[in-house]
Amino acid sequence: MASIQNSLELAMALLKTVPQYGTKEVILVYGSLTSTDPGDIHTTIESLKQEGIRVSVINLVAEIYVCKRIAEATGGDHRVVLDLDSLRAHFAAHVRPPPTPSSAKVVKAPTLVRMGFPRRIETSVPSFAFAGDQERFAAKS
């Protein structure tokens, strides 16, 4: 039996490691008219909202109330497939990531790694260098 709640709980567990500045998105492609859930789906919806996970749903059969409710509550899109062309269009709509909302919790911005070329430093102390590909030593004084 299909379970929307189990799928969303698994997705939520996998997305917990995404940093706060990243986006957390789930696309649920659902092809059943029923869902056999082990618990209350509304608590799962609240957990998704608290974790900042955006769930979009593409229904293959018909519009299902709980799928529409999940998408609306988490800020996702809810679409129903009419034919093959609409299926392609619905998937294509999710290719571009959504803009980050201004209310997103940014705890710490990603840090950048400073890169560049090494500087040449003149020194009065003799130094040695080894060029491995040429198998020779170079000394400078």
Side-chain angles (χ1 to χ4, degrees), residues 31-53:
S32 178
L33 291 173
T34 61
S35 177
T36 307
D37 297 322
D40 185 13
I41 189 73
H42 298 288
T43 58
T44 303
I45 294 171
E46 288 303 315
S47 299
L48 289 165
K49 285 171 46 176
Q50 289 174 356
E51 291 291 326
I53 298 173

Side-chain angles (χ1 to χ4, degrees), residues 20-24 52 54 74-75 98-106:
Q20 290 292 328
Y21 55 83
T23 58
K24 300 177 185 181
R54 179 178 190 256
T74 61
T100 304
S102 59
S103 63
K105 295 184 242 175
V106 178

Side-chain angles (χ1 to χ4, degrees), residues 16-87:
K16 284 204 185 262
T17 59
V18 174
Q20 290 292 328
Y21 55 83
T23 58
K24 300 177 185 181
E25 296 179 79
V26 174
I27 299 176
L28 178 65
V29 180
Y30 202 66
S32 178
L33 291 173
T34 61
S35 177
T36 307
D37 297 322
D40 185 13
I41 189 73
H42 298 288
T43 58
T44 303
I45 294 171
E46 288 303 315
S47 299
L48 289 165
K49 285 171 46 176
Q50 289 174 356
E51 291 291 326
I53 298 173
R54 179 178 190 256
V55 180
S56 295
V57 183
I58 299 175
N59 283 112
L60 299 177
V61 198
E63 182 176 303
I64 300 171
Y65 173 77
V66 72
C67 292
K68 187 174 183 178
R69 168 89 174 88
I70 292 168
E72 288 174 352
T74 61
D77 296 325
H78 178 256
R79 312 280 177 132
V80 178
V81 173
L82 302 174
D83 56 10
L84 186 59
D85 291 332
S86 68
L87 177 66

